Amino acid sequence: MASDNSEDIAGVKAALEAVLMVVDEPVSEEQLAAVTAVPVAVIREQLHELAREYDGYTREGGTVPVRGFELRQLAGGWRVYSRAAYAEIVSQFVVDGQTARLTQAALETLAVIAYRQPVSRARVSAIRGVNVDSVVRTLAQRGLIEEVGTDPVSGAFLYRTTAYFLERLGMGSVDELPQIAPHLPGLENLQDFDDSHF
């Protein structure tokens, strides 16, 4: 009976690996449980076991060579990533167009949206002091922000950051963003700023 159980567990791990190799964004334990027809608790245990294996640890407490990839839990789900130690090699392989950096204007706009979300383009423009329409379109096309409804007063579209944004920053939620007040003396009460005219 024990061998049947170990075969079942090996099958679950293999199924998880197969799915994790094809996802392009973190997948939740519930989604993996639904597709494999295995209880969430078992999926969670096996995901942690896979992560340990990829980091070079065996179930028996021994060690094996560390893999060139790792399994991380980010943005509400799990995904396989290349290991940071090999970032330079991976970046040399990746096509230049796929690793295009954001401009300073895009970074500033993204920061305003991240800290003030949900927020309208007009409000972002007022905070930055420039028109941000094209930058917002670019950020949306890259999947870093998304529309999240409309402002009940102005009817303007509201924007927020996406799970992909969190994934790229290695965060589980926007609550993990660093506090900006210590870096901007005099703006400790930024949240109290009356922006009703935006």
Side-chain angles (χ1 to χ4, degrees):
M1 185 71 169
S3 64
D4 289 344
N5 187 41
S6 63
E7 288 175 11
D8 290 345
I9 293 300
V12 170
K13 285 171 118 174
L16 290 174
E17 287 180 313
V19 172
L20 290 166
M21 293 305 294
V22 299
V23 298
D24 59 359
E25 60 185 35
V27 60
S28 72
E29 293 166 359
E30 292 77 15
Q31 289 173 296
L32 290 168
V35 76
T36 59
V38 174
V40 173
V42 174
I43 293 296
R44 183 177 300 120
E45 179 184 345
Q46 294 311 308
L47 287 167
H48 284 285
E49 182 70 25
L50 282 171
R52 285 191 297 273
E53 285 180 22
Y54 299 159
D55 288 341
Y57 300 99
T58 66
R59 179 173 271 242
E60 296 76 26
T63 58
V64 294
V66 174
R67 304 283 182 87
F69 53 89
E70 59 187 335
L71 180 58
R72 288 193 231 155
Q73 185 177 18
L74 294 171
W78 293 80
R79 185 175 171 200
V80 173
Y81 295 86
S82 59
R83 200 166 287 278
Y86 304 106
E88 187 175 332
I89 293 168
V90 172
S91 67
Q92 288 175 4
F93 177 77
V94 176
V95 178
D96 290 342
Q98 294 177 322
T99 58
R101 296 175 183 257
L102 292 175
T103 64
Q104 185 67 30
L107 288 172
E108 291 172 8
T109 301
L110 186 56
V112 171
I113 293 169
Y115 281 99
R116 299 296 302 244
Q117 61 187 310
V119 63
S120 68
R121 278 187 292 192
R123 186 172 296 158
V124 176
S125 292
I127 291 170
R128 288 210 47 235
V130 295
N131 185 305
V132 296
D133 289 353
S134 64
V135 177
V136 166
R137 278 194 298 276
T138 298
L139 293 172
Q141 288 171 348
R142 290 194 178 193
L144 295 168
I145 63 170
E146 63 188 356
E147 288 181 8
V148 67
T150 57
D151 185 289
V153 176
S154 68
F157 287 114
L158 297 175
Y159 293 89
R160 70 175 176 198
T161 54
T162 63
Y164 178 66
F165 166 81
L166 293 174
E167 179 189 340
R168 298 300 295 169
L169 289 183
M171 296 181 175
S173 78
V174 291
D175 296 332
E176 295 176 34
L177 285 169
Q179 296 299 309
I180 59 172
H183 305 291
L184 300 170
L187 295 181
E188 293 83 0
N189 300 318
L190 182 62
Q191 68 276 7
D192 299 330
F193 184 74
D194 179 9
D195 50 23
S196 59
H197 60 285
F198 299 138

